[in-house]
Amino acid sequence: MSGFDNNAGVESARTGRADLEARLADVQEQFRATSDILKVLTSGASEQTRVFEAVVHNARRLLAADVAQIHLLEGDQYRIRWSSGHSKAYLEKVDRYPLLRDRGSLIGRVGMDRTAQQIEDVLADPDYSALALQKLGGYRSIMGAPMLVEDEVVGVLTVWRNKVDPFEDRAGELLTTFAEQAALALRHVELVAALENRSAELGRKVEQLEALAEVGEAISSSLDADEVLATIVSHAVELSQTDGGSLMEFDRSTGLFRVRTAYGTSEEVVEALRSAEIHIDRTWVGRATRTREVLQIPDLDAEPAPLDAHLAVLHGSGWRSLVAIPLVRPDRVVGALVVRRKTTGSFTQATCELLAAFASQSAVALTNARLYQQLEQQSVELAEASRHKSEFLASMSHELRTPLNAVIGFSEVLLERMFGELNDRQEEYLQDILAAGRHLLALLGDILDLSKIEAGRMELDLTTFPIEDLLVQALSLVRERAALHGIHLRVEAERGLGTVTADALRLKQVLVNLLSNAVKFTPDGGSVEVRAWRDPEEVAITVTDTGIGIAPADQERIFDSFQQGERSASSSEGTGLGLTLSRRIVELHGGRLWLSSAPGEGSTFGIAIPQASAERPGDDETWSTEEEERAGTPTVVLIEDDPRSAELVELHLRAAGLRTVCASTGELGLRLVRERGPFAVILDIHLPGMNGWEVLTALKSDPATAAVPVVVVSVEPQRGRGFALGATEYLVKPVSGDHLLAAVSRLLPSSLGEVPDREAGTGLSVVVVDDDPLALKLVRSTLEPLGWEVHTCSGGQQAADLVRAVAPSVVVMDLLMPQVDGFAVIDELRPNRETDGPPIVVLTSKTLTAQDHSRLEGRIAFVAEKAGIDLPGLARRLAAVAAANAAPEEGT
């Protein structure tokens, strides 16, 4: 028994070893098959489909099957894609028998249950319904495993045997492994294909973006619409791989399309297209724009006859397929982009989308071209409207300024007491009338100035003058208002500022506006500081106040016309044009105006005017408002910082035969008194820097000047203090000319004789030609108290006859008179520059053109504007002109 048992154990061991060796061989075969599949998976993209051939081949071989096959799920049906062991006849017919996702076949069951399973004999399975396919293939035993990608069934791997021979249990595991590898390979192939497609698509997109970028650059860099549109069409044709194209513009007024540009098209065809009547309602292109759809014609030969005008030209020229993309904006049709081929065939969706992108660019380009054309036309119309506006304002200025000049002039005459004393209430009302008139005149002047700047007609009258002069004059105009509110004015000027080359009147206008605003918006008791300095490139002036400041939101808005910052209730005062005009004037000088401010911290306005080559004066340089001196005439030094007051006093003194030397500061006045040795000094108290009391003290403390009589003229009624400090006379403003002359005449040495009596007359006569009775009365009331003989008339032949009859010292002439041409009157009085006759002065509100100046050159003495005319200054200039004209005659 023991021997038998030993033999049985050995045999059992041999059998077990053989089984293990067989299983090892199977595992090795499976490993080699898996390795082959993985090797194919890691190969190039072109080898990817071989992995499925390897799967079905190895599955069939290792599972001892007659056939192995892979079905992929497409919608609700499974269709065979790869196989091993099928006959050619089977493969030719199998597509007619797709398998549904149901339990009538093994493949359907595996897909639904998502697990590997087999049917040992399909003919014995009562639920198996794919009998037509079984009859075609002849299989009996069949096994399948699902192909899963991200837990989703994408296909089924199956093997079959043509006889009833069930597969072993471990065969299911092996088939599942092959199915997993097939699913992995399918996923890998899909990813590679998607990557390649994406790369190709990105490449196309890059090309398209580059083309669109070029088009965008052309649109932004060129105003030549045809050049931009040609760029668009050429890129559209090249990227769509077509043969030619054209871009048509739509004219809404006619309903017609016009070929604007073309590419890849002969000139003959382009001309034929431009000659054709392509109407929006009767053409294929028109239908595309009406419906706002991309339309294409794959074959022109197949289109029903008759073809419209556009298509007939193309067909006759050999074009066979085309696509039209409408160029539209939300509210209108702009045109159409058409690309064409010489061959037939449809256009892909990608091509149509590409062309739609170019169509959008084309619509923008066409719209920009139209806007540019409209802008050019509007610019011409605006220039014409601006010219008409300027002419209207120039004409209206005469009508508006004439009554205002009368109001201002008569108020000034009455306030000068030329016709008697005024009571307090009369003086108060006259001051109100004068202030209102000046305000209206300033408003009119600002509007006219701004109109000139906007029309490009304002020209700067550049002169060179001391900067200190500008500062002193500007400060004098706001000092009185500042004093009324207890606002302290300070000036910090760099030593030796020297001169500046600019338009003195305009620059003074800017500075006065900044100072007026500073005083207006500074609370009582505050301060306003003016700083001035010079660097190698510019002269700068800043005005700083201690007011309430300006909010950041208002700091740019206040420079707009008719805008004011919300600083206080008093901001309603003013026109809202001052800062706008100031900035424009500074910019005309090539300079800049800036603002620095914060609420509650005050404001600083600054201006800078380029002055690269300006020279600084020496420390001993002085200046004054004195005109050319007359030797042997008694001299009076006038110390007054207000130019208007200084001119008025000078006018009265000159009429009395006295010479006046003016100083606008106390320091300069002291020096002039020491240098000139005048017989008298007329002194104001409110002066910048050293005030009048300090000047009076210094004069009386210096033995060289102590004997010079001083007449104080001030708004402060402090006669006792004045006489205590040594004043000879003390007059309280306003002072009439007679009172001033009486005070000065009492100071003249007896050897110099008496001051001429005004009533005795000056021997000067004037003919005033003006259609406005108020203007005539105003000039008469100004000149007659000074001893002039005044003759007036309204113009025409009457003026010429009057001038010949009275032979006046000077003629004052208006240019704008109804039914009378002032130029014609001047031509009659002075036919040419060599004609003898009285000097002519033009006093007008007309803005003279360059042609007007040329016509008047050499025939008149000077031109004065009626707006804000300085009547005392006019009287002084008329006297100078009359004297200059009389001197040659006396010499003769």
Side-chain angles (χ1 to χ4, degrees):
M1 281 295 290
S2 59
F4 177 79
D5 290 338
N6 288 335
N7 291 334
V10 171
E11 186 63 28
S12 176
R14 287 177 180 174
T15 302
R17 181 176 180 178
D19 290 341
L20 289 175
E21 289 177 349
R23 293 190 62 184
L24 177 60
D26 292 341
V27 171
Q28 289 175 339
E29 283 294 321
Q30 295 175 22
F31 179 77
R32 281 193 293 270
T34 301
S35 178
D36 290 343
I37 294 171
L38 293 176
K39 186 182 297 184
V40 175
L41 279 174
T42 58
S43 61
S46 61
E47 302 294 327
Q48 292 298 317
T49 57
R50 287 181 48 216
V51 69
F52 302 104
E53 297 174 359
V55 167
V56 294
H57 174 72
N58 285 293
R60 175 191 173 201
R61 181 173 58 84
L62 293 178
L63 294 176
D66 295 312
V67 169
Q69 56 190 1
I70 292 177
H71 285 75
L72 295 184
L73 182 61
E74 298 176 1
D76 291 330
Q77 297 178 337
Y78 289 94
R79 292 187 178 274
I80 189 170
R81 287 292 174 260
W82 294 276
S83 65
S84 175
H86 279 309
S87 65
K88 184 177 180 181
Y90 180 86
L91 293 176
E92 291 176 351
K93 299 177 181 179
V94 71
D95 274 344
R96 292 181 290 178
Y97 303 99
L99 297 173
L100 301 178
R101 297 179 63 183
D102 57 23
R103 308 197 71 83
S105 65
L106 176 71
I107 293 174
R109 297 175 190 177
V110 169
M112 295 177 67
D113 298 339
R114 307 165 68 87
T115 59
Q117 51 189 291
Q118 71 170 317
I119 300 176
E120 295 182 357
D121 185 359
V122 295
L123 296 181
D125 188 330
D127 297 326
Y128 195 85
S129 60
L131 297 178
L133 194 61
Q134 187 277 331
K135 184 176 182 181
L136 183 64
Y139 55 86
R140 298 292 297 273
S141 296
I142 184 171
M143 175 181 284
M147 296 167 55
L148 300 173
V149 174
E150 296 180 355
D151 204 33
E152 181 181 350
V153 175
V154 295
V156 176
L157 171 63
T158 56
V159 291
W160 80 48
R161 291 172 179 165
N162 292 330
K163 60 181 180 179
V164 178
D165 184 6
F167 294 92
E168 300 176 357
D169 291 339
R170 66 185 185 87
E173 299 175 1
L174 182 58
L175 189 63
T176 299
T177 300
F178 282 123
E180 292 172 351
Q181 291 175 339
L184 176 62
L186 182 63
R187 181 61 171 167
H188 188 64
V189 169
E190 290 176 348
L191 290 175
V192 170
L195 180 60
E196 291 177 345
N197 291 336
R198 185 61 173 167
S199 298
E201 181 182 358
L202 287 176
R204 290 193 301 271
K205 292 295 184 183
V206 168
E207 291 179 358
Q208 296 171 13
L209 289 175
E210 289 176 347
L212 290 173
E214 291 183 24
V215 171
E217 183 179 356
I219 291 175
S220 61
S221 63
S222 175
L223 292 175
D224 187 343
D226 290 330
E227 177 184 340
V228 174
L229 298 176
T231 301
I232 293 173
V233 175
S234 62
H235 281 81
V237 170
E238 291 170 0
L239 286 180
S240 63
Q241 298 180 344
T242 51
D243 301 318
S246 57
L247 193 146
M248 294 184 284
E249 183 178 11
F250 178 66
D251 186 346
R252 186 185 303 180
S253 62
T254 62
L256 297 176
F257 291 90
R258 181 178 69 90
V259 174
R260 188 71 181 265
T261 187
Y263 180 78
T265 308
S266 66
E267 287 296 327
E268 294 79 6
V269 175
V270 173
E271 288 302 319
L273 289 173
R274 287 175 175 168
S275 301
E277 187 175 283
I278 309 174
H279 197 278
I280 189 171
D281 295 327
R282 299 189 292 271
T283 58
W284 171 74
V285 169
R287 181 158 59 91
T289 57
R290 292 197 314 273
T291 60
R292 302 196 174 200
E293 296 179 353
V294 176
L295 299 181
Q296 60 174 296
I297 298 178
D299 187 357
L300 263 176
D301 290 332
E303 287 295 299
L307 298 176
D308 64 49
H310 172 235
L311 297 180
V313 172
L314 295 178
H315 185 264
S317 304
W319 300 95
R320 288 297 173 264
S321 58
L322 64 160
V323 60
I325 299 91
L327 310 183
V328 294
R329 305 296 289 170
D331 58 339
R332 65 188 181 279
V333 173
V334 177
L337 173 65
V338 178
V339 295
R340 309 180 293 271
R341 291 189 302 222
K342 295 285 188 177
T343 59
T344 60
S346 299
F347 293 82
T348 65
Q349 182 65 29
T351 298
C352 293
E353 292 175 356
L354 169 64
L355 294 175
F358 277 93
S360 298
Q361 295 277 30
S362 303
V364 172
L366 278 175
T367 302
N368 288 347
R370 288 179 178 175
L371 290 176
Y372 180 66
Q373 292 171 353
Q374 293 173 4
L375 182 61
E376 284 188 321
Q377 180 63 29
Q378 289 175 356
S379 297
V380 173
E381 294 173 355
L382 285 175
E384 184 69 13
S386 178
R387 185 179 66 82
H388 288 307
K389 181 189 71 173
S390 299
E391 292 176 354
F392 169 76
L393 289 175
S395 175
M396 285 301 298
S397 67
H398 173 73
E399 303 299 328
L400 295 174
R401 287 177 173 180
T402 297
L404 284 177
N405 284 326
V407 170
I408 294 171
F410 285 128
S411 300
E412 290 177 337
V413 167
L414 292 174
L415 287 171
E416 291 294 332
R417 271 75 171 180
M418 289 187 177
F419 299 99
E421 289 296 325
L422 304 172
N423 60 42
D424 293 342
R425 177 166 294 184
Q426 289 172 334
E427 181 176 0
E428 178 185 352
Y429 288 171
L430 280 173
Q431 291 287 3
D432 290 341
I433 294 171
L434 181 61
R438 286 174 175 170
H439 178 74
L440 290 175
L441 192 61
L443 172 59
L444 178 61
D446 285 348
I447 293 175
L448 289 174
D449 285 344
L450 190 59
S451 174
K452 287 181 182 179
I453 293 176
E454 290 177 345
R457 294 177 54 199
M458 176 172 282
E459 297 180 359
L460 299 178
D461 182 15
L462 299 180
T463 57
T464 300
F465 54 91
I467 305 172
E468 291 92 341
D469 187 0
L470 182 73
L471 296 176
V472 169
Q473 293 181 41
L475 285 166
S476 69
L477 297 177
V478 299
R479 179 169 282 109
E480 183 177 353
R481 179 171 182 173
L484 289 175
H485 295 277
I487 297 172
H488 182 55
L489 296 178
R490 293 198 303 269
V491 181
E492 182 182 332
E494 183 182 89
R495 184 176 178 81
L497 279 174
T499 59
V500 62
T501 299
D503 187 321
L505 180 63
R506 296 300 178 186
L507 205 55
K508 177 182 174 183
Q509 179 181 355
V510 172
L511 192 55
V512 169
N513 180 66
L514 298 183
L515 284 167
S516 299
N517 283 346
V519 171
K520 177 167 59 174
F521 294 111
T522 298
D524 292 358
S527 66
V528 174
E529 180 180 17
V530 179
R531 292 186 63 247
W533 69 93
R534 154 173 251 136
D535 61 28
E537 296 183 353
E538 61 186 13
V539 169
I541 302 173
T542 59
V543 178
T544 302
D545 63 60
T546 57
I548 62 176
I550 304 172
D554 288 333
Q555 290 186 12
E556 187 60 33
R557 187 172 62 86
I558 60 174
F559 289 100
D560 295 335
S561 300
F562 303 104
Q563 296 293 323
Q564 297 175 324
E566 298 178 0
R567 296 200 270 181
S568 70
S570 65
S571 65
S572 59
E573 177 184 341
T575 66
L577 286 175
L579 288 175
T580 304
L581 194 55
S582 296
R583 172 176 276 185
R584 302 285 183 86
I585 292 173
V586 171
E587 290 173 348
L588 279 178
H589 283 83
R592 54 196 173 88
L593 187 154
W594 70 90
L595 164 64
S596 175
S597 181
E601 299 180 8
S603 304
T604 296
F605 287 85
I607 61 173
I609 305 297
Q611 297 289 313
S613 59
E615 297 181 357
R616 293 170 179 260
D619 292 341
D620 59 346
E621 181 177 350
T622 61
W623 60 273
S624 71
T625 60
E626 180 184 11
E627 293 186 353
E628 187 175 341
E629 297 184 3
R630 293 174 291 172
T633 303
T635 300
V636 177
V637 171
L638 171 62
I639 306 176
E640 169 67 71
D641 65 319
D642 183 4
R644 293 181 61 85
S645 298
E647 289 180 2
L648 183 61
V649 173
E650 185 182 7
L651 173 65
H652 291 305
L653 296 180
R654 279 187 178 277
L658 302 175
R659 176 164 54 90
T660 306
V661 179
C662 299
S664 60
T665 64
E667 294 84 353
L668 179 59
L670 283 174
R671 190 173 68 187
L672 290 177
V673 173
R674 296 185 180 108
E675 293 175 353
R676 305 297 176 93
F679 82 88
V681 174
I682 298 177
L683 174 65
D684 186 22
I685 295 300
H686 290 291
L687 297 171
M690 176 183 285
N691 63 36
W693 302 122
E694 294 171 334
V695 173
L696 181 58
T697 301
L699 287 173
K700 296 305 176 181
S701 301
D702 187 349
T705 59
V708 179
V710 178
V711 178
V712 175
V713 181
S714 174
V715 294
E716 296 187 10
Q718 299 188 39
R719 288 185 173 86
R721 183 179 180 182
F723 290 130
L725 292 176
T728 305
E729 296 278 354
Y730 198 108
L731 304 177
V732 179
K733 292 181 179 180
V735 181
S736 68
D738 290 335
H739 290 169
L740 179 64
L741 287 175
V744 173
S745 65
R746 288 193 290 269
L747 305 177
L748 282 171
S750 58
S751 60
L752 296 176
E754 296 297 326
V755 175
D757 184 4
R758 288 191 178 190
E759 299 301 326
T762 62
L764 299 177
S765 63
V766 61
V767 169
V768 184
V769 184
D770 200 311
D771 66 301
D772 181 16
L774 290 178
L776 296 175
K777 290 176 62 178
L778 184 59
V779 175
R780 182 186 295 277
S781 63
T782 301
L783 297 181
E784 284 185 343
L786 299 177
W788 286 74
E789 181 182 349
V790 180
H791 305 273
T792 61
C793 66
S794 59
Q797 185 61 41
Q798 179 187 359
D801 294 341
L802 182 61
V803 170
R804 295 187 185 98
V806 303
S809 305
V810 66
V811 176
V812 178
M813 172 76 66
D814 190 12
L815 292 178
L816 294 176
M817 296 178 286
Q819 301 178 349
V820 177
D821 183 0
F823 290 99
V825 178
I826 294 174
D827 288 341
E828 182 175 357
L829 294 176
R830 300 290 291 270
N832 53 61
R833 293 173 176 80
E834 291 75 24
T835 304
D836 293 331
I840 300 175
V841 172
V842 171
L843 178 62
T844 185
S845 58
K846 173 178 170 53
T847 301
L848 299 184
T849 64
Q851 183 179 1
D852 294 337
H853 283 292
S854 176
R855 186 174 177 182
L856 295 174
E857 184 179 1
R859 302 186 183 189
I860 65 171
F862 65 87
V863 177
E865 289 191 7
K866 283 186 176 180
I869 184 67
D870 180 1
L871 292 172
L874 175 63
R876 187 185 67 186
R877 295 190 70 183
L878 291 176
V881 169
N885 185 61
E889 295 178 359
E890 293 173 0
T892 303

